[in-house]
Amino acid sequence: MGSDHCAGIIRTSLGRLEGVEVLNTNISNHRVRVRFDEQNVGADELRQAVEKAGYEVAALEEKGGPGADEAEIEERYLQQAWRRLWIAAIPATAIMILMMAHMFWRPIPGYLAIVAALAFPVVFLAGGAATHRSSWRALTNRTANMDVLISMGSLPPYVIGLFGFIYPMTSFIEMAATIMTFHLLGRYLETRAKGRASQAIRKLLTLGAKTARVERDGQETEVAINSLKQGDLMIVRPGEKIPTDGEIVEGSSHVDESIATGESVPVEKNPGDEVIGATINKQGLLMVRATKIGEETFLSQMIRLVEEAQSSKVPIQEFADRITSRFVPAVIGIAALSFLAWFVFAEHLRPVLIWGAGFLPWVNPELSPLMLGILSAIAVLVIACPCALGLATPTALMVGSGVGAERGVLIRAGEAIQQFKDIRFIVLDKTGTITKGEPSLTDVVSMEGFDKDEVLAFAAAVETGSEHPLGQAIVQGARDKDLSLAKVENFESKTAQGVQGRVDGKDVQVGNQRMFEENGISINGLKKEKARLEEEGKTVMLVAVDGRPAGLVAVADTLKPDSRSAVEELKKLQIRPLMITGDNERTAQAVATQVGIEEVMADILPEGKVDAVRRLQREHGEVVAMVGDGINDAPALKQANIGIAIGAGADVAIEAADVTLVRGELTKVVEAVKLSRQTFRKIVQNLFWAFFYNVLAIPIAALGLLHPMIGVIAMTFSSLTVIGNSILLRRTAL
């Protein structure tokens, strides 16, 4: 399945089966993904449908994903293309040598018979068999693809050349062999280049571990990766790959997660932390409990998202497909008209050839009308072969999605790539997107007689007895400062007020203003700082020691380090960022001010997010993107023209999104926008050159100024230009 046309034939054939839904066809890895009802159809029927369409099924797998050796399959296609090329190239080279000798040295006895024998395996066996088979499939399915043009450009010249055994006439057999050989050269180079373009998936497939060391029945055993079960306790030594997604049960280490996130700095991991399969344990011994296996793993999902991107359609491609579907019949018609024009009006058109012969050595004005008609018709057929059109979008998508996967930006919908260029608004969810999504200690203020570390140590010591997230944030803040925390005694939690206890023989209270007022503790010295911090959207807790105000601590959902720079970059890209949140107006405005966002939608319920996105689309008529990470963001992500999910968020949000960011960094949104725009730019460039090439070349061929052999070389060059232009995306700076 080497082209969109092949994919269309297979989709049609499979789609005729009852209970079968074709999800996607991916020409980059030659796969078809289907969903089917086992009550109506089975694997054998699927295979037969594909074979009936004229294609072979390389393998049937019970499960897709990383099970198949993608590199081996790709190598087999490449070796097949190389073998066909050489089977054609050796006889074709011999034909060219004989032709030169026959024309410029001395006539060769039996020349026509020798050339016909040498050309037969080139035209009918080497690549001809596959090409003509594809042409027949297309015609029997009432369509016409690029192989039809190659067949029409090589079969008639060979057959016409055989008439030389009966009538004295110019031989076209050499042309037939040359056209097929250059076609096979183009196919080989395309296969090789497409292999490079789709190397992202093959690279992902090779990343996973092949075996896992597990503890079963108290014994350490090495098992194949597909034998792992959920709940298995895996032993991962320093330098080894983590076999599958899991949770650390014992041990601490730094893990290289660059394959998933694109970040080269290893991440610290401790018991309770989640780890991703195929990432590398850099230091300590880890005991990891397997939580996801097979298609559920992060790596499998990543591969699936990249495959979806590579097989998805960009709206501009649908336009190109409509043109291509009409293009081949139109070319056949132009070739027929060209033949008739030269055959009937050769004497009127001959001045064009006389003019062209002045600077084009292959133009011969002395040929008969029949020969001129045949040459012009064949030239039109081979020069117009729309290979470049068929490759323009898929190759750019392959390379672009691969680059994104390596950077932790998974673009799963081709439509998003085109829409990114039109984004004018981007709605950013606050919690978990702009902010970290968890409270952190931000400020410590001390009264006279206390220092900041002392206030924090007292507050954290009491909060060790609390399970409240705000209390745990204070404890973590103290630990980050390496403060020693005394043991709390007589701990008591007061609902809606705070906590209190005895620390180092002192009574310590940590709570809100109501708690202090009920205990007669004055906060006059802290009111100004308290008001300032609350204006910034922070939660303030007062601290008292032995009934005397000691200071206060402030906790807030802090900004991600890159949020402000990401917002600035979005503005430079002419995209207006808006923040949406369920928090109150004051907190929302405080966060928005810190990151530089002017427009805020606060106090928005989950269902209100959908309405907010819909209102933007309706009032402004613009393309709206939405970035979120939670379950409550999923409907809004679906409503937006482009939904962008933070990879650390909920699975349902990721499924609803068009783009998934593996890391929770907002700067990855900027990378996604830039990469998508550059990928779309490559698609437009490819389509322009493919169309421009055909529009320019067909009239020249129809006028008899283009030799078919030159045409087939130019056709091959145009395809390689498109592929090479797409591969340049790998050098993209985001």
Side-chain angles (χ1 to χ4, degrees):
M1 184 173 62
S3 69
D4 280 336
H5 187 271
C6 298
I9 292 174
I10 292 173
R11 280 196 299 270
T12 301
S13 185
L14 285 169
R16 293 192 183 111
L17 298 175
E18 186 180 354
V20 174
E21 177 189 358
V22 181
L23 301 178
N24 63 56
T25 46
N26 192 335
I27 64 172
S28 65
N29 64 5
H30 314 283
R31 289 186 181 220
V32 182
R33 183 183 290 271
V34 299
R35 180 187 290 122
F36 62 95
D37 182 353
E38 291 181 292
Q39 301 297 320
N40 295 321
V41 68
D44 287 339
E45 287 86 351
L46 295 177
R47 177 193 285 272
Q48 289 166 12
V50 174
E51 290 174 345
K52 186 177 179 181
Y55 296 85
E56 297 176 7
V57 180
L60 278 176
E61 300 174 40
E62 291 183 7
K63 288 187 177 182
D69 190 344
E70 202 76 26
E72 184 180 326
I73 294 172
E74 199 65 49
E75 183 63 25
R76 190 163 73 243
Y77 280 112
L78 188 61
Q79 290 299 326
Q80 185 183 64
W82 177 251
R83 186 169 59 252
R84 287 174 175 172
L85 172 60
W86 275 108
I87 291 173
I90 293 171
T93 302
I95 289 171
M96 295 304 294
I97 294 171
L98 289 172
M99 183 180 73
M100 298 298 288
H102 184 71
M103 291 174 61
F104 301 109
W105 183 44
R106 65 174 62 175
I108 298 174
Y111 170 77
L112 187 60
I114 295 170
V115 169
L118 287 171
F120 185 83
V122 179
V123 177
F124 293 97
L125 301 179
T131 303
H132 305 321
R133 195 162 52 240
S134 173
S135 302
W136 179 250
R137 281 197 300 261
L139 294 173
T140 53
N141 281 276
R142 297 180 182 178
T143 63
N145 64 355
M146 55 192 74
D147 287 328
V148 170
L149 298 183
I150 295 297
S151 291
M152 294 185 71
S154 58
L155 287 176
Y158 186 91
V159 174
I160 291 169
L162 295 178
F163 281 98
F165 287 109
I166 305 171
Y167 303 104
M169 60 182 294
T170 303
S171 170
F172 289 98
I173 293 176
E174 304 92 335
M175 185 190 303
T178 305
I179 287 171
M180 185 58 72
T181 301
F182 273 103
H183 170 64
L184 293 175
L185 172 62
R187 278 293 168 90
Y188 167 72
L189 294 174
E190 284 173 18
T191 303
R192 185 173 179 179
K194 283 167 70 177
R196 285 183 61 195
S198 62
Q199 64 184 339
I201 285 184
R202 295 207 310 277
K203 190 174 180 182
L204 290 172
L205 287 165
T206 61
L207 291 174
K210 300 294 185 289
T211 60
R213 199 175 287 107
V214 299
E215 188 178 282
R216 289 179 179 171
D217 301 324
Q219 299 290 321
E220 184 178 313
T221 308
E222 189 167 352
V223 299
I225 197 71
N226 55 10
S227 299
L228 271 177
K229 300 175 183 175
Q230 277 189 339
D232 273 343
L233 198 59
M234 304 178 292
I235 302 161
V236 188
R237 294 188 169 87
E240 293 181 344
K241 289 181 180 179
I242 295 170
T244 192
D245 297 6
E247 179 182 332
I248 296 177
V249 175
E250 186 180 320
S252 297
S253 181
H254 283 77
V255 176
D256 179 358
E257 295 185 335
S258 58
I259 65 115
T261 65
E263 297 297 326
S264 57
V265 179
V267 180
E268 183 179 354
K269 296 288 184 179
N270 297 298
D273 289 343
E274 294 183 351
V275 288
I276 299 171
T279 57
I280 301 172
N281 177 23
K282 302 295 286 186
Q283 291 178 331
L285 178 71
L286 294 177
M287 301 289 286
V288 180
R289 190 177 306 284
T291 56
K292 294 179 180 179
I293 57 173
E295 288 190 316
E296 299 174 351
T297 65
F298 173 85
L299 186 62
S300 292
Q301 291 179 26
M302 195 170 175
I303 291 167
R304 179 173 58 82
L305 290 176
V306 175
E307 285 182 340
E308 285 178 7
Q310 293 185 346
S311 60
S312 63
K313 290 271 188 179
V314 180
I316 196 173
Q317 183 186 354
E318 295 175 359
F319 167 72
D321 288 347
R322 285 198 300 272
I323 292 179
T324 304
S325 66
R326 295 170 174 80
F327 186 77
V328 175
V331 167
I332 294 172
I334 293 170
L337 288 174
S338 178
F339 172 80
L340 289 173
W342 280 103
F343 186 67
V344 177
F345 305 108
E347 297 311 314
H348 298 284
L349 297 172
R350 206 176 291 274
V352 176
L353 298 180
I354 295 172
W355 170 77
F359 55 92
L360 298 173
W362 55 81
V363 175
N364 183 1
E366 304 302 322
L367 291 176
S368 67
L370 177 62
M371 293 299 104
L372 290 173
I374 292 172
L375 281 173
S376 66
I378 293 172
V380 168
L381 289 171
V382 297
I383 195 67
C385 185
C387 300
L389 280 174
L391 293 169
T393 300
T395 53
L397 278 177
M398 275 187 264
V399 179
S401 57
V403 170
E406 291 172 3
R407 294 172 180 263
V409 177
L410 304 179
I411 303 172
R412 64 188 298 186
E415 187 176 357
I417 287 176
Q418 182 164 339
Q419 289 190 316
F420 262 117
K421 70 180 175 60
D422 299 319
I423 287 180
R424 293 296 174 266
F425 293 91
I426 187 163
V427 180
L428 306 173
D429 180 53
K430 180 182 79 70
T431 307
T433 300
I434 296 175
T435 65
K436 293 179 180 177
E438 56 187 31
S440 301
L441 179 71
T442 58
D443 301 86
V444 179
V445 176
S446 61
M447 294 285 286
E448 188 178 346
F450 298 90
D451 62 35
K452 290 184 178 181
D453 284 351
E454 192 177 8
V455 171
L456 179 57
F458 275 124
V462 175
E463 292 288 3
T464 55
S466 171
E467 294 182 356
H468 196 284
L470 299 181
Q472 291 303 306
I474 295 171
V475 174
Q476 187 59 49
R479 286 174 177 162
D480 290 342
K481 290 178 175 289
D482 294 324
L483 299 181
S484 177
L485 303 184
K487 186 177 180 181
V488 61
E489 298 174 339
N490 301 327
F491 173 81
E492 183 181 355
S493 174
K494 294 194 170 184
T495 304
Q497 292 189 22
V499 294
Q500 62 186 29
R502 194 162 181 79
V503 179
D504 283 340
K506 299 179 185 294
D507 291 324
V508 179
Q509 294 169 306
V510 182
N512 57 23
Q513 186 171 338
R514 179 183 168 189
M515 181 182 192
F516 275 48
E517 287 173 351
E518 287 189 3
N519 285 277
I521 302 173
S522 173
I523 63 166
N524 289 335
L526 294 170
K527 277 186 176 181
K528 187 176 179 180
E529 285 296 312
K530 178 176 178 291
R532 177 184 67 81
L533 293 170
E534 287 178 340
E535 280 297 319
E536 294 176 3
K538 297 172 182 177
T539 302
V540 177
M541 285 167 280
L542 304 163
V543 182
V545 178
D546 284 338
R548 175 186 166 197
L552 57 81
V553 290
V555 172
D557 182 5
T558 55
L559 294 178
K560 292 179 179 179
D562 66 328
S563 290
R564 184 171 184 83
S565 61
V567 169
E568 290 174 357
E569 285 293 319
L570 288 169
K571 289 179 178 178
K572 289 178 184 177
L573 293 170
Q574 305 300 311
I575 298 174
R576 285 170 57 185
L578 296 86
M579 190 179 80
I580 191 167
T581 180
D583 282 349
N584 61 69
E585 184 74 27
R586 185 179 67 180
T587 301
Q589 287 292 350
V591 172
T593 301
Q594 291 180 64
V595 294
I597 294 177
E598 291 83 22
E599 299 175 70
V600 176
M601 292 177 278
D603 294 312
I604 302 293
L605 297 174
E607 57 271 23
K609 292 182 180 181
V610 177
D611 294 333
V613 171
R614 191 179 290 130
R615 188 169 64 251
L616 281 172
Q617 292 169 323
R618 184 175 60 250
E619 291 177 359
H620 299 277
E622 303 279 6
V623 174
V624 177
M626 165 81 185
V627 185
D629 74 322
I631 291 174
N632 61 351
D633 295 326
L637 291 174
K638 206 69 178 172
Q639 173 63 38
N641 300 90
I642 303 171
I644 305 172
I646 300 294
D651 288 345
V652 67
I654 294 171
E655 285 297 321
D658 303 301
V659 179
T660 300
L661 310 178
V662 176
R663 286 180 71 87
E665 297 170 350
L666 206 54
T667 47
K668 291 294 180 182
V669 175
V670 179
E671 287 190 18
V673 173
K674 289 182 176 179
L675 177 61
S676 295
R677 288 182 174 182
Q678 289 168 5
T679 301
F680 183 71
R681 193 176 299 125
K682 288 294 181 187
I683 292 172
V684 172
Q685 289 171 359
N686 290 346
L687 289 173
F688 169 78
W689 285 112
F691 278 119
F692 177 79
Y693 161 82
N694 280 298
V695 168
L696 187 68
I698 291 174
I700 295 174
L703 287 171
L705 298 176
L706 191 68
H707 195 283
M709 293 186 185
I710 303 295
V712 76
I713 294 171
M715 178 264 292
T716 301
F717 179 76
S718 72
S719 296
L720 296 179
T721 301
V722 164
I723 294 170
N725 187 45
S726 297
I727 289 175
L728 288 177
L729 265 173
R730 298 194 64 81
R731 301 181 183 178
T732 295
L734 300 180

